[in-house]
Amino acid sequence: MLRQIAEIIPFYLLLTLLKFFSFEKRVIVGGILLKWILPIVPKYRNRIIKNLRLIYPEKTHSQINKFISINSEMIGRSFIELMFNADFQKRWDKIIYKKKELQPIIEAKKRARPIIVVSGHIGSWEAVRAVLKNNKLNSGALYQKNHNRFYENLHLKAIKAGGEPIFQVSPSGTKNMISFIKNGGLIALMIDQAVKDGKYLNFLGKPAKTSISIANIALKYDAIIIPAYGIRRDDNKIVVSFEQPIKLTNSLAITGAMNSSLEARVLENPEQWYWPHRRWK
C-alpha cells in the first residue's frame, strides 16, 4: 500500500499541475516533461535500446539517444491525451479524417454485424475511438488492470471516456467481450503486444509472438475487421485513417494482414510507436 502511494504521488502532482493549462498546452507541456523524465528511467530506456538494436542495428549511439527523446515526447503526449480523455473527445479542430472511410463500419452496424477495429500503440491511438464515438459508433475496448489501485481508478475512468463497455483482460472479461462481439458489438483492440498463447509471425522483419484470437473470433462470428490509426502531423494535428476490411480467409493469413498493416504505419512513423513494449521475446 505505501509503495503504491509513493508511486502515485508524483503522478497526481503532474496531473494537478497540468490542470492549470488549456488542454492543448497540457498535451504539449506533458510531452516535454516526459521527454526528459522517461529516458532516465533505466527499465524504460533499456527496453527501447534493446528493441532498436534488434530492428535498426545500423543506428549509432547518438541516433538512438535522439530517437528515444522524440519517442518519449510522442508517448508523453498520447498518455496525457488519455488521462484527460473527456477533454480530448472535444478536440475536433485537431483531428482530421474522411467520413467515407467509415462507410464499411456504418454498413456493418446497420446489419448488426460484429465489428472489430484493430490498431496499435502508435501516434494518438485514442483518436480512433474519438472519431468512432463522434459518429455515434460507440466502441468497447479491452484493458489490462494495473497493479496500483490508485492509478487503476484514473486509468479505467480515462478509457471509459472514449467509449464503453470496457472489458478487463481476464477469463471472465474475455468471455463477456466475445458475447458482446457475437451480438453485433463494436470493439477496438490493440494488436501490438506479445501474448503467451500467440503464434510467431514476422513484425518489422523479426518473429514476434502474436495473438490469433482476434482472427478466430472474426471467423467464428463473421466479424468485419478494420485497421485504423491516428498519426500525428508536425502541426500537432492528428490524421485518423480507417483502412479497408481485411479479407476473412484463415487465422494466420488474417493475423498476418493485421501485422502488415500496423508494420507499414510503424515504418512510416517509427518515432510514434510505443517502443518500450517487449514485442519480441
Side-chain angles (χ1 to χ4, degrees), residues 112-128:
R113 183 183 180 187
I115 305 163
I116 302 175
V117 173
V118 293
S119 189
H121 294 85
I122 183 170
S124 177
W125 53 83
E126 274 299 310
V128 172

Side-chain angles (χ1 to χ4, degrees), residues 57-192:
E58 74 284 356
K59 281 190 179 296
T60 65
H61 181 72
S62 61
Q63 287 173 330
I64 287 176
N65 284 336
K66 183 178 180 180
F67 188 101
I68 292 175
S69 178
I70 297 172
N71 188 232
S72 297
E73 183 173 4
M74 292 296 102
I75 290 172
R77 290 189 178 197
S78 298
F79 179 69
I80 298 304
E81 287 170 346
L82 174 62
M83 287 297 100
F84 294 98
N85 207 358
D87 293 326
F88 180 63
Q89 298 295 317
K90 306 167 187 175
R91 200 189 183 199
W92 292 108
D93 61 322
K94 296 294 183 180
I95 298 178
I96 300 168
Y97 70 99
K98 296 177 181 178
K99 185 71 175 283
K100 65 180 182 180
E101 292 182 354
L102 290 170
Q103 202 55 43
I105 300 176
I106 293 171
E107 290 300 320
K109 194 71 175 175
K110 287 179 181 177
R111 302 197 308 271
R113 183 183 180 187
I115 305 163
I116 302 175
V117 173
V118 293
S119 189
H121 294 85
I122 183 170
S124 177
W125 53 83
E126 274 299 310
V128 172
R129 297 181 72 217
V131 170
L132 291 171
K133 187 175 182 180
N134 187 57
N135 284 273
K136 296 181 170 49
L137 296 166
N138 196 54
S139 62
L142 191 66
Y143 91 108
Q144 181 76 52
K145 186 175 182 179
N146 194 273
H147 76 279
N148 189 304
R149 68 177 68 179
F150 302 103
Y151 175 74
E152 169 66 12
N153 294 332
L154 292 172
H155 182 64
L156 184 55
K157 181 181 177 181
I159 294 176
K160 285 183 176 180
E164 296 189 60
I166 305 299
F167 304 100
Q168 183 182 331
V169 175
S170 66
S172 61
T174 300
K175 181 180 178 181
N176 292 334
M177 181 189 73
I178 291 175
S179 177
F180 175 70
I181 293 172
K182 179 181 177 181
N183 290 300
L186 165 56
I187 192 157
L189 300 173
M190 298 294 197
I191 62 170
D192 55 355

